[in-house]
Amino acid sequence: MTALPQERRLVTAIPGPKSQELQARRNAAVAAGVASTMPVFAARAGGGILEDVDGNRLIDFGSGIAVTTVGASAEAVVRRASAQLADFTHTCFMVTPYEGYVAVAEHLAELTPGDHAKKSALFNSGAEAVENAVKIARVYTKRQAVVVFDHGYHGRTNLTMALTSKNMPYKNGFGPFAPEVYRVPVAYPYRWPTGPENCGPEAAAQAIDEITKQVGPENVAAIVIEPLLGEGGFIEPGKGFLPALREFATQHGIVFVADEIQSGFCRTGQWFACEDEGVVPDLITTAKGIAGGLPLAAVTGRAEMMDAAHAGGLGGTYGGNPVACAGALGAIETMKELDLPAKARRIGEIMHGRLTAMAEKFDLIGDVRGRGAMMALELVKDRETKEPAPERTAAVAKACHAAGLVVLTTGTYGNVLRFLPPLVIGEDLLSEGLDIIEEAFASA
Ligand code: PMP
């Protein structure tokens, strides 16, 4: 376990003087397009605590955007990655391979949904994994079109910008975007016109109708969807939506790609979020939680699809870096040993109870949703019109930050507070964090 004391401690205002000094240097040296949620510079992190350069200890409800699921200094990750660093940092898997890469692929075959034969290819970032899933689907099907969804987010590279739904800040001014990308409706229960009960089947019918009429299923290489949409606002597609699209893909020979980069690796209380409705994707993209904070991503899927690309068609200099692979082996070991899916469900129970009680007290909260340790509140100006309240969402987040709690906002309308604590957070810190959120609402 981490040596970092698991206690919130504020010794300066947030940000403190050392963070402010670093922020001034950062502003002079770092490109303005790279933004940060808080102008607080990290010194150490582990468990549920992030310590800044001024000695403040913040409770972490962000996990570096769903990455440090096992904590930011998990023992097995540190041990295995350090040992690997001492042995060798890099050979390039495309030059002389090494065991760690193979072992990660073996774990991915075992842990991802479905008992068919699976293979994997490893990359450095989520966006790169999604790009490669599309390459694989295209070469396998010999088709070009890719279907994505409203509120979807898949990355910041050129193809993944095209796949991403939201203009600001992800796409504005960065076009032209890759062609043959088609966007269809997603089942967003809270905002579905005929109500949440009908949302899944109705949205699926609408999406399938649009794919059929506007693209033609015989032209579609891949349907790419987040089983629980992250940057779109922690939208859980209405029940029935994912299975209907999975079925449609099967009928038409379309590769069904689950982007589990944010929702995967125990986050939602299962190893992968698509398990919730028993959906087995053809390809699954993972990153973030996979390697305890080291940069690693993967595409895992049906062996015959993964083998469709010619030798040399997939890869990259750093893809599946040995230190990152060692980190992944440490993270997976920790997830199994500590039964982190169960831990995520327990966090979800606690959070859901507290957040639902807050929704009864504060009209600003329009919806409480999410699963496991991927929970969110959608904030609205008026519960009848559901008009989004992005300014007040920012104000609540700011109040949390000032009190020493790292929280993130999200959503197409910028009106969702999302909570992604490390799964190893102590229950005392979890409930202290929830107290801070409640106080922030009371003062908003
Ligand atoms: N897909 C999803 C669902 C994501 O949440 C993200 C990152 N927020 C990405 C893709 C892109 O991952 P990366 O930032 O590692 O490129």
Side-chain angles (χ1 to χ4, degrees):
M1 279 307 285
T2 168
L4 191 58
Q6 295 295 297
E7 288 166 7
R8 180 174 64 118
R9 176 179 81 173
L10 295 185
V11 294
T12 71
I14 304 287
K18 288 185 181 154
S19 274
Q20 290 182 38
E21 227 176 278
L22 283 166
Q23 182 69 8
R25 278 172 56 195
R26 171 234 176 97
N27 288 341
V30 178
V34 183
S36 302
T37 304
M38 297 173 69
V40 167
F41 282 74
R44 295 195 293 166
I49 290 288
L50 193 155
E51 187 177 285
D52 74 12
V53 287
D54 291 288
N56 298 297
R57 295 200 186 115
L58 315 179
I59 300 175
D60 184 10
F61 274 16
S63 298
I65 324 189
V67 171
T68 52
T69 302
V70 296
S73 49
E75 187 278 331
V77 174
V78 174
R79 172 171 39 84
R80 285 176 179 261
S82 307
Q84 180 59 51
L85 266 172
D87 285 344
F88 62 94
T89 55
H90 176 83
T91 60
C92 189
F93 194 76
M94 301 186 305
V95 177
T96 52
Y98 36 86
E99 182 180 353
Y101 190 118
V102 179
V104 170
E106 288 167 348
H107 279 293
L108 284 164
E110 176 214 318
L111 294 169
T112 54
D115 48 18
H116 48 277
K118 290 175 214 153
K119 290 191 174 184
S120 289
L122 304 184
F123 304 97
N124 304 297
S125 69
E128 214 189 330
V130 175
E131 291 245 357
N132 278 279
V134 171
K135 280 170 65 174
I136 292 163
R138 282 178 168 158
V139 80
Y140 174 75
T141 58
K142 302 185 173 65
R143 304 172 182 176
Q144 293 186 354
V146 181
V147 170
V148 289
F149 295 84
D150 285 338
H151 308 288
Y153 179 87
H154 301 286
R156 284 181 161 95
T157 57
N158 187 263
L159 175 59
T160 58
M161 277 193 292
L163 302 178
T164 290
S165 137
K166 189 177 175 179
N167 177 51
M168 270 307 268
Y170 307 123
K171 304 168 75 165
N172 196 47
F174 298 139
F177 304 111
E180 287 305 317
V181 173
Y182 301 89
R183 189 172 313 286
V184 298
V186 77
Y188 188 165
Y190 179 62
R191 293 186 179 276
W192 195 252
T194 59
E197 320 74 46
N198 311 316
C199 175
E202 283 183 16
Q206 215 172 300
I208 287 169
D209 184 65
E210 288 188 17
I211 299 167
T212 307
K213 298 287 175 351
Q214 297 176 22
V215 196
E218 66 277 19
N219 298 311
V220 179
I223 292 175
V224 183
I225 187 160
E226 299 160 82
L228 202 159
L229 287 80
E231 305 304 313
F234 282 25
I235 301 165
E236 274 187 277
K239 293 291 174 225
F241 185 75
L242 293 171
L245 282 152
R246 165 68 277 191
E247 174 60 23
F248 175 75
T250 304
Q251 279 168 8
H252 295 281
I254 298 167
V255 177
F256 185 92
V257 183
D259 179 349
E260 293 246 17
I261 286 162
Q262 190 155 167
S263 59
F265 278 102
C266 312
R267 179 57 50 194
T268 63
Q270 290 172 301
W271 277 89
F272 296 96
C274 60
E275 291 169 39
D276 194 56
E277 287 189 274
V279 167
V280 176
D282 298 312
L283 302 180
I284 181 165
T285 54
T286 53
K288 291 192 185 277
I290 190 174
L294 290 154
L296 189 72
V299 182
T300 302
R302 295 186 186 280
E304 68 274 20
M305 295 180 181
M306 293 301 298
D307 281 339
H310 46 275
L314 305 177
T317 304
Y318 294 119
N321 169 271
V323 181
C325 286
L329 296 174
I332 292 167
E333 178 187 316
T334 308
M335 289 173 193
K336 287 184 172 177
E337 254 177 45
L338 303 181
D339 192 4
L340 290 191
K343 192 74 202 304
R345 292 194 293 276
R346 171 79 184 139
I347 290 171
E349 249 173 55
I350 295 171
M351 284 201 143
H352 192 266
R354 289 287 307 270
L355 297 174
T356 307
M358 286 181 218
E360 279 162 21
K361 272 170 71 177
F362 305 111
D363 286 345
L364 185 55
I365 300 173
D367 196 23
V368 179
R369 59 176 180 252
R371 293 203 300 268
M374 190 167 179
M375 298 287 300
L377 297 173
E378 176 159 356
L379 275 53
V380 291
K381 291 181 181 160
D382 176 327
R383 284 186 172 173
E384 285 304 308
T385 64
K386 300 184 179 172
E387 188 189 336
E391 297 84 7
R392 298 185 74 187
T393 306
V396 173
K398 208 170 158 203
C400 291
H401 298 164
L405 176 70
V406 180
V407 291
L408 308 173
T409 60
T410 185
T412 299
Y413 313 109
N415 66 327
V416 176
L417 282 171
R418 60 170 151 177
F419 311 118
L420 294 159
L423 303 186
V424 294
I425 193 171
E427 288 190 12
D428 47 344
L429 282 185
L430 184 66
S431 80
E432 194 178 340
L434 288 160
D435 293 342
I436 292 172
I437 293 165
E438 184 157 359
E439 283 156 28
F441 273 102
S443 65

